[in-house]
Amino acid sequence: MSHYFVIGDVHGKAGMLEALLQHWNGEDQLIFLGDVIDRGENGRAVLERVKSLVEQTKAICLSGNHEYMFLAWLDDPYHRYDHYRRNGGDTTINSLLRRPLDAPVDGIEDAKRVMEEAGDLVDFIRQMPFHVETEELIFVHAGLDLTLDNWQDTTDYQKVWLREPFYKVENKTGKGIVFGHTPTSYLTGEPMESPKLWQTPDGKIGMDGGAVYGGVLHGILFKNGKIVAHYAIPNDRFIVSDS
């Protein structure tokens, strides 16, 4: 399949995700770039929706650094909870446990409860791939280490955390690289609510619209490696710009 509908960092914004999915035809290959959880208020609803799409339509959901942190917390709650909390994890924990978002969290006891009460969603996160490569494009959450002789030597950790060693280095892969992680406003200098993508002459396309920060949720339809439609969902409205 050479048609891909790609969705940027959702971060628990279930309403914005549903609005964006109205523009997907149900047939083109759906790809999520990771960071579907944390900070936003409906992490459980988003995870359940994405899991359903993966199971029923063969959608692909990549791991982002927030899924990476979530699993690191579950695997070592004593040492990893504070880091996860500082990155918006409490909202996801409370959402998964169906509690008020401001409920107090016990980083160790709640790790056990999440494993017991949302084990299917934990298993779903554990199987998320870290990149997808097609004939024309590479999809990844944060980026690739383009200083390496072979980009495929990029570690999974780097694929979900990289910033400057990716977007400040020339892309010599011969393919477009579509990524999220770094809000486009940081790269373009535009206001957070701007619907503008970050695109470079060497084929990098940044599409984390900062949805959870008052920005937008980006969706891009690619055909044969080219952008043919772009949707940006801000605050339950949408802007359409064809490219």
Side-chain angles (χ1 to χ4, degrees), residues 28-45:
D28 295 329
Q29 175 68 61
L30 193 60
I31 297 179
F32 292 86
L33 293 180
D35 279 8
V36 297
I37 57 172
D38 295 347
R39 295 199 172 101
E41 64 277 6
N42 286 312
R44 185 178 189 113

Side-chain angles (χ1 to χ4, degrees), residues 5 90 100 156 158 162:
F5 193 96
D90 280 3
D156 291 343
Q158 289 174 308
L162 276 175

Side-chain angles (χ1 to χ4, degrees), residues 13-19 41 215 232-239:
K13 304 301 290 184
M16 296 173 78
L17 173 59
E18 291 304 324
E41 64 277 6
I233 306 295
N235 301 318
D236 300 320
R237 302 190 312 274
F238 68 88
I239 300 170

Side-chain angles (χ1 to χ4, degrees), residues 115-186:
M115 294 287 287
E116 293 170 355
E117 299 179 28
D120 60 329
L121 298 176
V122 173
D123 291 343
F124 172 63
I125 292 174
R126 287 195 188 281
Q127 60 79 45
M128 289 178 178
F130 287 88
H131 80 273
V132 171
E133 182 182 9
T134 72
E135 289 187 9
E136 300 99 355
L137 299 167
I138 303 166
F139 302 99
V140 65
H141 176 66
L144 305 171
D145 187 348
L146 299 177
T147 68
L148 298 172
D149 291 334
N150 183 353
W151 69 265
Q152 295 191 10
D153 292 332
T154 303
T155 65
D156 291 343
Y157 181 85
Q158 289 174 308
K159 289 172 186 173
V160 299
W161 280 108
L162 276 175
R163 295 195 197 274
E164 286 86 351
F166 166 61
Y167 57 72
K168 289 188 175 180
V169 177
E170 184 180 357
N171 175 19
K172 297 180 180 179
T173 65
K175 298 185 178 187
I177 305 176
V178 185
F179 69 103
H181 186 53
T182 300
T184 51
S185 65
Y186 298 163

Side-chain angles (χ1 to χ4, degrees):
M1 178 182 292
S2 60
H3 296 184
Y4 303 93
F5 193 96
V6 186
I7 294 178
D9 303 35
V10 180
H11 278 300
K13 304 301 290 184
M16 296 173 78
L17 173 59
E18 291 304 324
L20 181 56
L21 286 171
Q22 297 300 309
H23 301 285
W24 173 55
N25 65 8
E27 298 178 359
D28 295 329
Q29 175 68 61
L30 193 60
I31 297 179
F32 292 86
L33 293 180
D35 279 8
V36 297
I37 57 172
D38 295 347
R39 295 199 172 101
E41 64 277 6
N42 286 312
R44 185 178 189 113
V46 170
L47 268 177
E48 290 175 341
R49 181 72 159 118
V50 173
K51 179 175 180 287
S52 174
L53 288 165
V54 169
E55 293 172 349
Q56 296 178 15
T57 74
K58 300 189 185 303
I60 297 169
C61 182
L62 302 181
S63 176
N65 59 305
H66 283 264
E67 286 79 26
Y68 198 98
M69 284 187 284
F70 173 79
L71 294 177
W73 162 64
L74 286 179
D75 293 340
D76 186 2
Y78 182 80
H79 292 102
R80 296 300 188 114
Y81 169 64
D82 187 59
H83 183 244
Y84 186 49
R85 175 190 59 79
R86 287 186 281 110
N87 284 276
D90 280 3
T91 55
T92 297
I93 295 168
N94 282 326
S95 178
L96 287 173
L97 297 178
R98 305 184 192 279
R99 299 188 306 213
L101 295 183
D102 59 355
V105 171
D106 183 317
I108 296 176
E109 290 303 315
D110 284 342
K112 299 174 185 175
R113 289 193 59 189
V114 166
M115 294 287 287
E116 293 170 355
E117 299 179 28
D120 60 329
L121 298 176
V122 173
D123 291 343
F124 172 63
I125 292 174
R126 287 195 188 281
Q127 60 79 45
M128 289 178 178
F130 287 88
H131 80 273
V132 171
E133 182 182 9
T134 72
E135 289 187 9
E136 300 99 355
L137 299 167
I138 303 166
F139 302 99
V140 65
H141 176 66
L144 305 171
D145 187 348
L146 299 177
T147 68
L148 298 172
D149 291 334
N150 183 353
W151 69 265
Q152 295 191 10
D153 292 332
T154 303
T155 65
D156 291 343
Y157 181 85
Q158 289 174 308
K159 289 172 186 173
V160 299
W161 280 108
L162 276 175
R163 295 195 197 274
E164 286 86 351
F166 166 61
Y167 57 72
K168 289 188 175 180
V169 177
E170 184 180 357
N171 175 19
K172 297 180 180 179
T173 65
K175 298 185 178 187
I177 305 176
V178 185
F179 69 103
H181 186 53
T182 300
T184 51
S185 65
Y186 298 163
L187 299 170
T188 64
E190 298 277 335
M192 185 64 74
E193 63 272 16
S194 170
K196 186 176 181 180
L197 299 167
W198 185 68
Q199 300 182 72
T200 63
D202 63 357
K204 300 188 194 86
I205 301 173
M207 54 178 299
D208 174 6
V212 78
Y213 298 116
V216 306
L217 180 61
H218 285 297
I220 299 177
L221 176 61
F222 290 91
K223 291 187 179 181
N224 301 316
K226 305 296 183 183
I227 298 175
V228 296
H230 167 221
Y231 307 93
I233 306 295
N235 301 318
D236 300 320
R237 302 190 312 274
F238 68 88
I239 300 170
V240 181
S241 59
D242 295 321
S243 303

